[in-house]
Amino acid sequence: MNKKSILDAKFTGKRVVVRVDFNVAFDEGKIKDDTRIRETIPTLKYLLKENASLILLSHLGRPKGIDPKYSLKPVAKRLEQYLKQKVEFINQFNKKELVKLKNLLPGQVVMLENVRFHEGEEKNDLKYAKLLASFGEVFVNDAFAAAHRAHSSTVGITKYLPAYAGLLLIKEINIISKVLGNPDKPVVSVIGGAKISDKIGLIKKQLDLSQTVLVGGGIANTFLKAMGKNIGLSLVENEAVDFARELLYAAASKHSALILPFDFVTVDVRGKISPVAITEMKENMSIRDLGPKSRKLYKEYLLTAGTIIFNGPMGKYEEKPFDQATKDLITATARSKALSVIGGGDTLACIPNDKIAAEITHISTGGGAMLEFIEKGTLPAIEVLQNA
Ligand code: ADP
Ligand code: MG
């Protein structure tokens, strides 16, 4: 993909509107994981070194109108710690405050309130886009995780300002493009999570791209049901059973193997946890995680892979010990010599520790964005950036 990045332009003395994705997870009012903030620091520091002033735009959650619960104020505070400088927080709906933006001095940083507090944002309303554009002279998009959304602050705004890719956006594009372009074989995809319907495009694409697709989580249950297996009380997506059957046929006609688990960690109606083979599944049992034998097989595939694409937990990881298989497979992914890309909000929550994280080639900041980029090879907010 040939898009101009911030390295291709001059920003000296410019007021730069930067779209970041600071949609971080909160836990009882506290920021739980600030990876997305940390990952944009190189772009922000680069622009500041170039003597630009920065006007930061982001969304947070899915507010319906103005809702203090989704205020970006605590995020601006956290950013101050990383930038080691003042980040002024501005309520973008206060005309008096907005005047300040015109008089920013080089090196100053302001963060605006949640762009989704305005109903125009998600409709890609051009009037709202024009307002956002009026805050600066140049636009930089570093919000990979929001790049699959055609919204005012990601797409509309580029009608009014010259638009460049930030360093995080470029990093995500380059590494995922490499996986799509000429990956080292065998390509092994791991796909898990709750629902097939969230990931239809991805699963199809992975069958084209990979030699082996390892399936787990609720998604595997739906495939097993499509094959007529007894899955007891397990999470299943009944509406997707027919589609799962079609995918099984599709896989059989391509040169990729779709591998399903054959033993599980289950819990029965009395709460008894036990590992069982697929042939021993009872009506009163529910699949919660991959069993030891499936796990061992999946690990062997990962350890001999050339490229690994990992999305979706293998079990109901929020409840221990059902996080074991996912953690185990992520660890195998890190140990493997393969180029590895992993993404998805829930998946990243399963990375056991920083040491293992450091051994993974690329941890994507995008969940939905990563999946759509793998599927389509581009995203709406990338398309509208200046061509190189
Ligand atoms: P990601 O955010 O990484 O893309 P998803 O959102 O698709 O992942 O899926 C995560 C959800 O899938 C988690 O809430 C997890 O509990 C659920 N899940 C996975 N396997 C099972 C299972 N066997 N039973 C119930 N829930 C499951
Ligand atoms: Mg999720």
Side-chain angles (χ1 to χ4, degrees):
M1 194 153 319
N2 249 344
K3 292 294 176 183
K4 278 193 182 157
S5 85
I6 54 173
L7 304 177
D8 302 315
K10 287 263 171 286
F11 294 93
T12 315
K14 293 252 166 72
R15 284 174 293 127
V16 186
V17 179
V18 188
R19 176 58 157 102
V20 290
D21 188 324
F22 287 170
N23 183 29
V24 295
F26 276 83
D27 194 10
E28 289 171 9
K30 289 215 167 65
I31 296 177
K32 204 166 79 177
D33 175 49
D34 64 8
T35 310
R36 285 180 172 175
I37 301 176
R38 277 186 281 118
E39 287 284 323
T40 57
I41 299 302
T43 295
L44 304 184
K45 284 214 162 138
Y46 176 87
L47 292 169
L48 288 170
K49 220 175 118 231
E50 291 279 288
N51 273 322
S53 55
L54 310 182
I55 300 106
L56 306 182
L57 304 178
S58 178
H59 72 284
L60 178 69
R62 294 182 174 178
K64 297 201 166 49
I66 296 173
D67 181 345
K69 216 171 82 201
Y70 296 100
S71 173
L72 280 164
K73 211 165 183 176
V75 173
K77 277 270 157 265
R78 180 66 59 95
L79 181 63
E80 280 187 338
Q81 292 169 16
Y82 286 115
L83 287 179
K84 298 192 182 71
Q85 74 168 79
K86 171 122 189 85
V87 174
E88 188 166 356
F89 188 71
I90 290 192
N91 181 334
Q92 56 164 311
F93 306 105
N94 182 334
K95 287 235 163 61
K96 255 205 235 130
E97 290 268 289
L98 285 180
V99 176
K100 288 186 192 166
L101 297 177
K102 295 268 181 251
N103 305 316
L104 283 181
L105 299 172
Q108 284 188 318
V109 182
V110 300
M111 165 118 232
L112 296 194
E113 183 57 287
N114 195 339
V115 287
R116 287 195 186 163
F117 282 1
H118 193 292
E119 59 167 12
E121 166 66 3
E122 292 181 72
K123 295 182 183 140
N124 193 18
D125 175 51
L126 289 185
K127 264 220 285 317
Y128 184 48
K130 199 169 174 182
L131 173 75
L132 295 174
S134 74
F135 301 156
E137 299 157 286
V138 197
F139 176 64
V140 169
N141 191 343
D142 212 23
F144 178 75
H148 57 319
R149 310 279 188 216
H151 291 172
S152 298
S153 68
T154 58
V155 169
I157 191 168
T158 65
K159 280 200 186 307
Y160 307 103
L161 291 176
Y164 300 92
L167 302 176
L168 173 62
L169 192 72
I170 290 290
K171 181 170 122 186
E172 295 266 12
I173 291 173
N174 284 350
I175 195 129
I176 303 173
S177 300
K178 188 167 173 217
V179 171
L180 298 174
N182 191 13
D184 284 339
K185 288 179 182 164
V187 178
V188 178
S189 291
V190 183
I191 181 129
K195 285 172 155 187
I196 290 187
S197 53
D198 287 346
K199 300 180 179 178
I200 290 174
L202 177 78
I203 303 173
K204 283 188 173 159
K205 179 76 189 185
Q206 284 186 327
L207 285 172
D208 287 333
L209 205 72
S210 326
Q211 277 64 53
T212 309
V213 180
L214 305 171
V215 189
I219 289 186
N221 301 346
T222 303
F223 276 108
L224 292 167
K225 181 155 187 188
M227 292 170 80
K229 304 287 180 199
N230 178 18
I231 55 165
L233 302 171
S234 306
L235 175 75
V236 65
E237 198 182 1
N238 283 312
E239 317 79 67
V241 169
D242 283 339
F243 177 70
R245 201 171 290 123
E246 278 173 39
L247 282 175
L248 289 168
Y249 284 117
S253 67
K254 288 176 181 165
H255 297 283
S256 56
L258 190 104
I259 314 275
L260 294 169
F262 49 90
D263 69 333
F264 315 99
V265 179
T266 62
V267 58
D268 70 12
V269 278
R270 291 203 198 85
K272 184 168 169 259
I273 297 174
S274 46
V276 300
I278 188 156
T279 46
E280 297 164 353
M281 273 297 293
K282 305 263 167 25
E283 293 298 341
N284 69 351
M285 288 176 170
S286 185
I287 296 170
R288 287 285 198 272
D289 203 4
L290 299 184
K293 291 186 180 136
S294 307
R295 215 195 288 184
K296 184 161 176 282
L297 176 76
Y298 283 20
K299 273 200 312 207
E300 279 163 19
Y301 276 110
L302 292 170
L303 290 171
T304 54
T307 305
I308 299 170
I309 306 167
F310 199 129
N311 167 260
M314 297 290 99
K316 197 170 168 51
Y317 77 92
E318 297 94 333
E319 286 172 27
K320 284 185 177 142
F322 310 123
D323 56 342
Q324 278 309 312
T326 313
K327 287 191 165 161
D328 218 20
L329 295 192
I330 290 177
T331 304
T333 299
R335 299 266 149 80
S336 158
K337 289 197 173 60
L339 183 155
S340 49
V341 176
I342 134 166
D346 290 285
T347 311
L348 298 194
C350 298
I351 300 177
N353 57 52
D354 289 351
K355 200 162 158 267
I356 289 169
E359 288 177 62
I360 296 164
T361 317
H362 183 61
I363 296 173
S364 179
T365 53
M370 181 186 94
L371 304 189
E372 196 173 317
F373 191 75
I374 291 173
E375 183 193 341
K376 300 185 175 148
T378 185
L379 295 172
I382 296 173
E383 283 298 289
V384 293
L385 300 175
Q386 306 235 322
N387 288 321

